[in-house]
Amino acid sequence: MTSPRTRLRMVGRLRGQGIRDETVLAVMGELPRHIFVDEALASRAYEDMSLPLGFGQTISSPHTVARMTELARNGRALTKVLEIGTGCGYQTAVLARIARQVYSMERIAALIRKARKHLRDAGIANVHLRHGDGHVGMPEVAPFDAIVMTAAATSVPKALAGQLDRGGRMILPMASGNAQYLYVIERTDNGLVERRMDPVVFVPLLPGVG
Ligand code: SAH
């Protein structure tokens, strides 16, 4: 249930769902996702579903993680990436296998502790976790090649957009009426360009620390 073969089946499904970035597919084919979910759920880790994470939060499905990473990478080599909403740390780990350094913020302290353990168990060391409100980002580390937000905002957080490097992209779910969509925000020479992508379901981005 948690074997390399199960993981390869997951990658086959991701291909069928339209994921085309071979770098992302290779990373997800190697990274043990079951390390990041509670033991009772380990046998479901490779199914295409979101899973409960505790504290009313959810772990994104493999397809959502693959899609956001593909959009963030956009075929580029990534140096510095910021993630908002560490959760269990799986998306963090996928980014860490692709980017040189990953910075990730989470508002729930207990989840930071959980993610730190998962990342250690997966042998990942190029991640810097911070307990704090992701709305403010990490201005002292900026600019970032990519910012990946895994909780739904109602508008683009201004401070974060300001921390994108030129040519950098922010991938975030945003509520639009009753629905949520993934958005790509790109910093171009002419300012920020916003594009609406796939419909998605995420927990809300909340203010402050929990
Ligand atoms: N990528 C994670 C997603 C977890 S759900 C995973 O797959 O496990 C979204 C996460 O965003 C939750 O852990 C929630 O606590 C966190 N979050 C919500 N608002 C936040 C904020 N303002 N700053 C930092 N993290 C936030």
Side-chain angles (χ1 to χ4, degrees):
M1 295 285 243
T2 57
S3 68
R5 197 136 44 93
T6 314
R7 231 167 7 250
L8 289 181
R9 264 204 302 277
M10 175 186 80
V11 167
R13 258 195 334 266
L14 292 173
R15 268 186 218 286
Q17 291 167 323
I19 302 298
R20 292 283 169 267
D21 187 324
E22 290 300 328
T23 303
V24 173
L25 292 168
V27 165
M28 290 183 67
E30 280 171 17
L31 190 66
R33 180 168 157 92
H34 60 275
I35 288 184
F36 293 84
V37 309
D38 287 344
E39 232 162 281
L41 295 169
S43 66
R44 322 211 71 174
Y46 298 99
E47 293 176 20
D48 194 35
M49 59 193 297
S50 50
L51 295 168
L53 166 60
F55 310 93
Q57 307 302 317
T58 49
I59 300 175
S60 301
S61 71
H63 175 257
T64 298
V65 171
R67 182 71 179 133
M68 291 184 90
T69 311
E70 176 174 77
L71 288 171
R73 206 172 89 78
N74 196 26
R76 305 169 294 161
L78 297 174
T79 305
K80 232 184 331 174
V81 174
L82 174 65
E83 179 192 35
I84 307 298
T86 316
C88 72
Y90 177 71
Q91 169 82 74
T92 325
V94 170
L95 289 168
R97 285 280 162 85
I98 286 170
R100 203 168 307 152
Q101 298 295 333
V102 175
Y103 297 80
S104 184
M105 298 181 74
E106 167 59 55
R107 64 185 291 279
I108 299 176
L111 288 179
I112 289 276
R113 286 194 290 275
K114 239 184 188 184
R116 188 161 281 135
K117 177 181 183 307
H118 296 158
L119 289 161
R120 196 180 328 116
D121 291 349
I124 289 172
N126 57 331
V127 167
H128 314 268
L129 299 181
R130 177 176 298 178
H131 178 219
D133 182 356
H135 284 95
V136 298
M138 292 199 194
E140 73 285 8
V141 184
F144 298 98
D145 305 322
I147 299 178
V148 174
M149 186 186 287
T150 68
T154 47
S155 60
V156 180
K158 282 239 170 52
L160 292 181
Q163 291 171 29
L164 276 179
D165 203 354
R166 194 170 293 177
R169 320 181 115 197
M170 169 153 54
I171 315 302
L172 78 164
M174 263 197 300
S176 168
N178 289 329
Q180 287 178 8
Y181 294 88
L182 270 188
Y183 282 79
V184 176
I185 313 290
E186 197 162 326
R187 174 172 291 284
T188 71
D189 289 339
N190 302 319
L192 296 175
V193 175
E194 180 176 312
R195 255 186 314 146
R196 196 177 92 169
M197 314 295 287
D198 332 358
V200 288
V201 180
F202 277 84
V203 295
L205 186 73
L206 298 174
V209 291

